[in-house]
Amino acid sequence: MDMSYRRRFIHTMSLLWAFVGLGWATGQMGPSFPDLRIIVDQDLDTASWLFTIAAIGYMVGSFLSGILYDRFNKVLLIAFYAVVLSVFTGLVPWCQWFSVMMVVKFICGLAAGGLDTGGNADIISIWGVKGGSYMQALHFSFGIGGIASPVATEPFLAKTICQADGEQSSKANKTLNETFYNSTDKTICVQTYGTSYVHFAYLITFFVVLSSSVPFFIMNIKWTENNQDGRGADINGLPRPNPLPIKQKLLILALLFLIFFTYCAVEDTFFGYLATFCINYLQWNSSISSYATSLFWTSYSIGRFSGIFLIKYFRPVQLLFAFLVLLILSFVGFLTASLVY
């Protein structure tokens, strides 16, 4: 019967679903990347700019969201980001020209960065110093979207076909063909791609992300009708963190910048190119490569889920140190495996 708590709970559940949609849209790019190359007929080096332009948009969207968050209706702002992300994500596979797809991916990144930044700020605004577990749950929801997206995308991907060198169809896309040595039958194999139906997968993403905007529109209408400002959950009476000295604040911000600068580069680049690496260098088919991406997101979600409980017993600095050590060890393992392979 606590109306203030009820509003915080509803607001939090809405943010969790919004981050499922954000993770869904983000996790789809890696498995669908070979199909997007088919659509725009670009080689790997050129098409990789799609990741770069999306990252630039993400950075700009995060920066703008930090400015707009305290100046506009928070609930409507997040709803707006979700709508823009859903619409332009749905448009991606319909872009036949590479330059147009670049523009669309930039806007997708812009909206995704705004939604990510606004959602993280919102969860802390709702729960204050009690928001540690809720923050972990928010990113666990992001991981759930990342797990489901590659699985939902896989049935619509263009199937890879291995043909003997010189036998590929004249209709095959010459830019995307990959030639490698097939150790099974001692022949040179040319890998071609069948027909892509990836636009159906992106249509699913459109509806998933769009649905996450609905609760925020409803919250804004209902709470405004109840003579409330509609800006979000009531945080009056919640304990707030003590203000930090300016030097300590700058030091913490600088360290967080360095951590996220390296961590996000590793995370985003790794899952973005994982499917392409599996197809081009391990000669896996597109289905298995999509499942590999989903497995990455599964491990990501396990880490986030454990953080919901660990944050109650360990300080953030301790968790950061432990997870960074595990991340370093994992990449040492990847380096060793790549040298041996």
Side-chain angles (χ1 to χ4, degrees):
M1 300 302 294
D2 186 343
M3 295 304 298
S4 176
Y5 181 84
R6 180 181 295 181
R7 288 186 70 187
R8 292 200 296 272
F9 179 80
I10 293 173
H11 197 156
T12 301
M13 292 299 104
S14 301
L15 284 172
L16 294 182
W17 179 243
F19 267 61
V20 170
L22 179 61
W24 191 296
T26 304
Q28 188 174 46
M29 180 60 183
S32 65
F33 180 55
D35 286 53
L36 297 182
R37 288 175 57 200
I38 293 174
I39 292 171
V40 294
D41 190 18
Q42 296 293 334
D43 59 27
L44 180 60
D45 290 343
T46 303
S48 295
W49 277 98
L50 292 172
F51 288 101
T52 304
I53 198 67
I56 294 173
Y58 212 102
M59 180 177 62
V60 174
S62 299
F63 180 78
L64 291 177
S65 182
I67 297 174
L68 299 176
Y69 181 78
D70 290 326
R71 291 171 172 79
F72 292 93
N73 185 312
K74 298 176 176 61
V75 172
L76 282 182
L77 193 62
I78 293 177
F80 171 76
Y81 287 136
V83 170
V84 174
L85 179 60
S86 65
V87 171
F88 281 89
T89 299
L91 290 176
V92 169
W94 298 100
C95 301
Q96 300 294 323
W97 295 279
F98 184 62
S99 57
V100 176
M101 187 177 287
M102 289 274 286
V103 173
V104 172
K105 286 299 296 181
F106 174 81
I107 298 175
C108 288
L110 195 75
L115 181 57
D116 192 0
T117 302
N120 280 281
D122 220 19
I123 203 73
I124 295 300
S125 176
I126 294 170
W127 296 104
V129 296
K130 297 181 179 180
S133 294
Y134 296 101
M135 176 72 76
Q136 296 296 326
L138 193 70
H139 289 275
F140 171 69
S141 301
F142 181 85
I144 291 298
I147 294 171
S149 181
V151 176
T153 303
E154 185 275 329
F156 305 103
L157 298 177
K159 306 306 178 185
T160 53
I161 305 168
C162 186
Q163 299 175 327
D165 191 17
E167 294 181 2
Q168 65 270 26
S169 169
S170 60
K171 296 181 180 180
N173 191 315
K174 300 300 188 297
T175 304
L176 302 180
N177 291 347
E178 307 290 347
T179 303
F180 58 88
Y181 180 71
N182 191 338
S183 58
T184 303
D185 54 10
K186 311 301 182 182
T187 61
I188 300 298
C189 179
V190 177
Q191 182 171 269
T192 62
Y193 293 83
T195 304
S196 173
Y197 300 97
V198 76
H199 51 282
F200 289 115
Y202 274 82
L203 184 63
I204 295 173
T205 306
F206 164 77
F207 284 112
V208 170
V209 179
L210 184 65
S211 69
S212 69
S213 69
V214 175
F216 292 96
F217 285 119
I218 295 175
M219 280 191 294
N220 183 74
I221 295 172
K222 291 292 185 181
W223 293 347
T224 303
E225 288 176 351
N226 293 332
N227 297 321
Q228 295 169 325
D229 60 11
R231 289 178 177 265
D234 183 12
I235 60 174
N236 292 329
L238 288 177
R240 311 302 291 172
N242 296 322
L244 295 173
I246 185 65
K247 290 185 179 180
Q248 187 176 357
K249 182 183 294 186
L250 291 175
L251 176 62
I252 292 175
L253 287 174
L255 290 174
L256 286 175
F257 170 81
L258 290 174
I259 289 174
F260 278 95
F261 180 81
T262 54
Y263 159 74
C264 290
V266 168
E267 175 193 308
D268 295 344
T269 304
F270 185 84
F271 79 76
Y273 286 106
L274 179 59
T276 300
F277 175 81
C278 292
I279 292 172
N280 289 1
Y281 294 95
L282 301 182
Q283 287 90 57
W284 295 0
N285 60 43
S286 57
S287 297
I288 298 177
S289 301
S290 295
Y291 295 143
T293 305
S294 185
L295 180 62
F296 166 80
W297 283 108
T298 301
S299 64
Y300 177 95
S301 299
I302 291 173
R304 286 298 187 180
F305 183 76
S306 65
I308 297 174
F309 308 101
L310 293 176
I311 196 66
K312 296 181 179 180
Y313 304 102
F314 298 94
R315 292 186 294 120
V317 172
Q318 294 173 321
L319 291 178
L320 278 173
F321 177 78
F323 285 126
L324 285 173
V325 169
L326 288 175
L327 188 63
I328 291 170
L329 290 176
S330 69
F331 273 90
V332 169
F334 277 117
L335 176 62
T336 303
S338 66
L339 293 174
V340 173
Y341 181 81

